[in-house]
Each structure stands twice: as C-alpha cells, then as structure tokens.
Amino acid sequence: MPRLLFYYLFKRVGFSVLIVQLALSVPVVLSYLLYQLPPAAVRGGLVIPALVGVTPTVAYMTLPMAIGVGAALEFSRMASEGMIAVLYALRLSVWSICRPTLSLAAGVVVLGYILANIVAPHYSSNMQDVLNVVRNSLNHRMLDAAHFYTFSNGVKTLYIERWITPDIAANLFIRQISIEKMQEETITAARAEFRRNESGVIVALSNGSIQTRSVTSNEVRIANFDEYAMALPMQGSGSLPDRGWKGVYELSAGEFLSSLELAKRDHRQFGEWMAEAAKRFGAPTLALAHALLAMALTLTFGNITGRRGAAGSLPIIAIPAAHIGFLVGLESLLRISAWFAIPLIAAVGAEIGVSAWLIGRLNYSPHAKRFDVLAPTTAGYAAPAA
C-alpha cells in the first residue's frame, strides 16, 4: 500500500475512534460522578479531584469498544462511498486495506496498558479519597445545618444550627471525649469560622462556653470564652485526608503482581485480584480483537458496491455486545472463581481467530484458469478458427 494512502486511512479511522471515545467516556464519567457525589461536593471543591481520579480508568476500559465501533463506522462509510471497491480495483489485498487500522489498534493496545498499569492506579486514589471525604463528612462545606455529625469513630460530635456563609456558622455545638485526660468536653459558640490549613481545619469560635466533665469523678467545670480555636480532622488545603487503607486497583504494576500471594489467603480478595488482573492485562488486548471483528464483519457482510447493505449495522451492534459481555464476565464470574478466566480467554481467542479467518477468506482469491481458444501456429501468428 502506498504510504500516502496508508496515512490517509490511518488518520480517517483514528479521527472516528477519537470521536467515539469521547462520546463513550464523557457520559460514563459524568453519570458515575453524579451517582457517587452529592450536590454539596460542588461547593466543597471535590468535583475536579474526582474527575481526575475516574477518567483514566474509564478511558482504558472504553478504548477497545471505541476502536471497534470507530473502525466499523469508518469501513461502513467507505463501503457506502464505493471506496472499498476502488481499493480492490487497485489490486490491494484485504490485509493491506486492514493494515492501517491494525496499526492503530496496536498503538491503542500499548496506550491501554500504559493507562491501566501506570496512569489509572496513580490517579484512582483521588477518587477514593473523595469518596472517603463524602462518606465521612470530612469537608466542612458539605455539612448541612440542623444535623449531627460524628468524627474519629464517635469521639467528636458536631452540630450546626445554620450557615451564614460557606465558611461561617451560627450556634455551633461540639462534644468530644479525651481518652488521655479522661474527660468529656461540651463546647457551644454563637459564631464559628472554619479556616483551612495544610493539614486540616481550624475552627475559630466566638462568644461561647466550655463544659468539662471528668469521666472518673463526674466533676463538672464551666468556663466562658470570647475567642477560642480548636482543630478538626477534616480536609485541609494541602491534600485530601488519609484513608488508612489502599485498594488493589491503586497498586502499581509491580506492587500488584507481588500482592498475589497475599490475595490467595482470602477467597474474596483473590476474586478482587483476578478481576483487576483481567482489566489490567486483558482489557487492552480487546482493542485488537474488536478492530479485527469490526473489519471482518463489515467487509464480509457489508455491501462494498456503494449500496446500503441489510447487514451494515451488524458490526456496530456486535462490538458493544462483545465488549460489555466481557466486562460483565470479568466483574462477576472471576469474583466467583478464577477458573472462569479460561472461558474468557477462549472467547477472546475465538473472536480474534474467527475475525482473522473471515478476513483471510476474503483475501484468498483462486487464480483463473487460462483457456486458449486459438491454437498457435508459426512464429507469433495464430490460425483462424474454423
């Protein structure tokens, strides 16, 4: 294939893949964020960290379907324009026509492995940190008025009557227990201003009182104050609070592989490990399988003469069905038993094998037999037919 034609087909399919990838990723990311984050997360400034945390994972999971659907759309468009017939007329083989898309699919596989094993594990911690803040109410701008909140495993209890501004509250109530001092403190303030620092939140209280009660002797002391400051274990300005745990999807490639022996000790953890391994090392290879399937179905069942074929939409339906079926299988079956990896690998191998066979069948063309109607006579002349 001429280099200019190769680059033309490569860019044409690549542009379609980019459009399909955006059309797939953006709704998935937005729907996930809308499902996981409450409306208060917007004023809490948690949307951007969550977006950064979830986008790489969604990107490498949707890339295989994007290249399959993009290749199917572009090959169907070229067939309807009669371009496939023109390429055949130029004596280009079927594999030559498919070579630009296969090169693009190989690049997508490499990109998928980079996203799955380097980028996504690094940034997925952001999303989990955001969920930790949301579930444990660790952002003061997400606190609702007239609602009790507990922190530090119930050691601290906080209540706000109403908000004046996003950072200033009126009539605040705090109850906390000090294990070291063996006493219980009840703090009330007419006004509270939340100020973030690098490590947490400082609350500046005004016009309030502190009631201290000893746990051992039940002795009660009351003191009034004009100004008082205390720290709360909330989200600071430097980074999101530490979670104290780390998921298998946050591990780098080396750490993930080395955690296999530890995961084998628990059936549930081993299922999580197998599902994550299938996503990291199996999902990117689906780009090549789906690209082959899209081209094989379009060239085999489509109409290359420029007319719209009855089976023209078959690849556009088959690619999402195959990809979603694989994702459902690895998320559900592998968590039950690791032996389900065998039929999943066999299904991917069958998709590649059948697609290659269909393309090879189209590429095979038996040579026509030569029939000599006129028998040769003397040098360069043929005798006329009787």
Side-chain angles (χ1 to χ4, degrees):
M1 174 179 288
R3 182 177 300 179
L4 183 61
L5 182 58
F6 177 90
Y7 287 144
Y8 170 76
L9 295 178
F10 185 91
K11 291 188 292 185
R12 183 166 177 170
V13 177
F15 182 75
S16 296
V17 172
L18 179 62
I19 297 300
V20 174
Q21 175 67 13
L22 292 176
L24 290 174
S25 299
V26 173
V28 173
V29 171
L30 293 180
S31 61
Y32 182 81
L33 294 181
L34 290 174
Y35 176 75
Q36 294 288 348
L37 302 182
V42 178
R43 65 174 181 266
L46 299 175
V47 176
I48 298 301
L51 183 65
V52 173
V54 74
T55 298
T57 302
V58 173
Y60 86 80
M61 293 299 291
T62 55
L63 263 176
M65 185 163 62
I67 190 170
V69 175
L73 289 173
E74 200 56 44
F75 269 71
S76 297
R77 189 179 298 115
M78 289 191 296
S80 64
E81 295 171 353
M83 187 174 178
I84 300 295
V86 173
L87 295 177
Y88 283 161
L90 294 175
R91 303 183 65 84
L92 293 176
S93 64
V94 181
W95 285 113
S96 296
I97 299 173
C98 298
R99 191 176 299 123
T101 305
L102 292 178
S103 301
L104 179 63
V108 170
V109 170
V110 176
L111 177 61
Y113 275 112
I114 294 175
L115 290 174
N117 294 281
I118 299 177
V119 181
H122 178 73
Y123 288 103
S124 62
S125 299
N126 291 1
M127 185 62 195
Q128 298 305 317
D129 291 339
V130 168
L131 293 179
N132 178 53
V133 171
V134 171
R135 292 167 182 170
N136 296 287
S137 303
L138 299 180
N139 188 303
H140 72 273
R141 293 189 174 181
M142 296 181 59
L143 301 180
D144 295 326
H147 186 85
F148 284 93
Y149 293 94
T150 58
F151 306 97
S152 303
N153 297 321
V155 174
K156 293 180 183 290
T157 302
L158 184 145
Y159 176 88
I160 296 172
E161 183 176 301
R162 62 186 177 89
W163 285 99
I164 302 175
T165 68
D167 296 321
I168 299 177
N171 297 330
L172 178 138
F173 167 86
I174 295 177
R175 175 182 174 270
Q176 59 183 4
I177 299 174
S178 176
I179 305 299
E180 295 81 5
K181 299 179 180 180
M182 298 297 292
Q183 64 183 18
E184 175 187 338
E185 293 182 347
T186 302
I187 304 173
T188 59
R191 184 179 182 273
E193 181 178 354
F194 292 80
R195 303 172 183 174
R196 285 181 176 174
N197 57 18
E198 290 291 328
S199 58
V201 172
I202 301 296
V203 184
L205 305 176
S206 303
N207 301 326
S209 63
I210 303 177
Q211 176 182 301
T212 304
R213 184 179 67 87
S214 176
V215 177
T216 56
S217 63
N218 291 327
E219 179 184 356
V220 178
R221 292 177 297 174
I222 299 177
N224 298 325
F225 61 84
D226 294 329
E227 300 288 340
Y228 183 77
M230 64 179 302
L232 289 179
M234 288 187 173
Q235 176 189 350
S237 59
S239 60
L240 297 174
D242 294 332
R243 284 178 281 121
W245 60 274
K246 196 173 185 180
V248 68
Y249 40 80
E250 302 176 62
L251 302 177
S252 62
E255 294 174 340
F256 175 75
L257 293 176
S258 61
S259 65
L260 175 59
E261 295 300 325
L262 181 62
K264 287 182 178 180
R265 300 176 184 177
D266 183 75
H267 177 74
R268 185 185 61 82
Q269 291 184 359
F270 185 58
E272 294 283 345
W273 193 95
M274 286 297 300
E276 181 65 20
K279 288 188 288 186
R280 290 193 182 203
F281 306 112
T285 58
L286 290 176
L288 184 61
H290 292 345
L292 277 170
L293 181 62
M295 293 183 294
L297 294 178
T298 304
L299 295 175
T300 302
F301 301 102
N303 197 324
I304 64 171
T305 60
R307 299 178 180 178
R308 184 176 179 85
S313 59
L314 176 61
I316 303 176
I317 300 175
I319 300 301
H323 189 69
I324 293 174
F326 180 82
L327 295 183
V328 171
L330 67 89
E331 284 290 346
S332 58
L333 298 179
L334 287 179
R335 298 179 189 275
I336 299 175
S337 174
W339 290 105
F340 283 107
I342 297 177
L344 289 175
I345 295 174
V348 176
E351 181 180 348
I352 295 176
V354 171
S355 302
W357 176 77
L358 288 175
I359 295 176
R361 181 171 171 267
L362 290 173
N363 193 65
Y364 174 73
S365 177
H367 297 287
K369 295 182 179 180
R370 179 178 178 181
F371 295 95
D372 293 330
V373 180
L374 304 179
T377 53
T378 57
Y381 293 95

